[in-house]
Amino acid sequence: MSYYVIVYDRENVFHSKADLFSQVEKEKNTKENSDFEDYQKASEDLRAWFLEMIKNFPPARGEFSPEKEKVENNEELRMHLTDYFVSSHMIYAAFHPSVRKQAGDVAKKLTMVYDLGFYDTDQ
C-alpha cells in the first residue's frame, strides 16, 4: 500500500479528514485539473514545495520525471518515484511504502518551511 501525503495552502482549513478527502476528489474531477502533473497551476508556496520534493522524490510522470533507462537500471530511483496530483490549492503525493519515513519527514519539514497544511496516512 502506498504512503501518501496531502499538502495544501493554509487558507484552506479542513475540519475533518472527510472534508479534506472530499476536496481532493472535487479537485481531481474539475476540468482545470485534467493535467495532474502541471505544477505551474499551483500557488507559489505549493510550487516551491513541489520543486524541493522532486529533488529526492522525482515524479513518475511528466516534465520532471527521470529518463526511462535511468529508472530501469536503478532500483533505488524506482522506489523514490512519486505520483503527484497538483491542483491550484493542494498537492497529493503517493510514495512507495519503502520510503515512507524519509518521504514523510522531508514532506513535513518542507511544509513548515513554506507554511503549508499537511496530512499523511499516519494521521
Side-chain angles (χ1 to χ4, degrees), residues 6 9 12-14 17 21-23 34 42 46-47 54 62 75-77 90-91 99 101 111-112 117 121-122:
I6 302 169
D9 289 327
N12 294 308
V13 177
F14 300 100
K17 186 167 42 170
F21 285 112
S22 175
Q23 185 63 31
S34 60
L46 284 170
R47 284 194 311 268
I54 67 172
E75 184 176 346
E76 178 92 9
L77 177 58
M90 68 175 49
I91 297 175
V99 297
K101 175 152 179 34
T111 59
M112 289 185 260
T121 38
D122 292 338

Side-chain angles (χ1 to χ4, degrees), residues 46-99:
L46 284 170
R47 284 194 311 268
W49 180 91
F50 173 79
L51 291 172
E52 287 293 325
M53 282 301 294
I54 67 172
K55 291 177 182 177
N56 292 304
F57 301 95
R61 290 175 281 294
E63 174 183 359
F64 298 105
S65 64
E67 296 172 8
K68 187 177 181 180
E69 293 168 355
K70 285 185 179 181
V71 173
E72 289 173 351
N73 297 320
N74 187 331
E75 184 176 346
E76 178 92 9
L77 177 58
R78 279 194 306 275
M79 289 188 301
H80 282 79
L81 288 180
T82 303
D83 285 319
Y84 293 95
F85 162 75
V86 181
S87 74
S88 55
H89 301 291
M90 68 175 49
I91 297 175
Y92 173 99
F95 302 92
H96 190 277
S98 66
V99 297

Side-chain angles (χ1 to χ4, degrees), residues 101-117:
K101 175 152 179 34
Q102 181 187 12
D105 290 348
V106 172
K108 191 165 193 166
K109 179 181 176 184
L110 289 173
T111 59
M112 289 185 260
V113 170
Y114 295 107
D115 193 31
L116 297 166

Side-chain angles (χ1 to χ4, degrees), residues 3-62:
Y3 167 71
Y4 63 87
V5 302
I6 302 169
V7 179
Y8 52 91
D9 289 327
R10 288 251 183 223
E11 64 196 35
N12 294 308
V13 177
F14 300 100
H15 300 289
S16 69
K17 186 167 42 170
D19 287 347
L20 177 60
F21 285 112
S22 175
Q23 185 63 31
V24 169
E25 287 307 310
K26 182 179 174 184
E27 293 279 340
K28 283 183 177 181
N29 293 320
T30 62
K31 193 170 194 165
E32 167 202 347
N33 296 318
S34 60
D35 184 2
F36 298 142
E37 287 91 30
D38 181 11
Y39 81 102
Q40 292 290 344
K41 65 185 160 203
S43 68
E44 183 178 342
D45 289 333
L46 284 170
R47 284 194 311 268
W49 180 91
F50 173 79
L51 291 172
E52 287 293 325
M53 282 301 294
I54 67 172
K55 291 177 182 177
N56 292 304
F57 301 95
R61 290 175 281 294

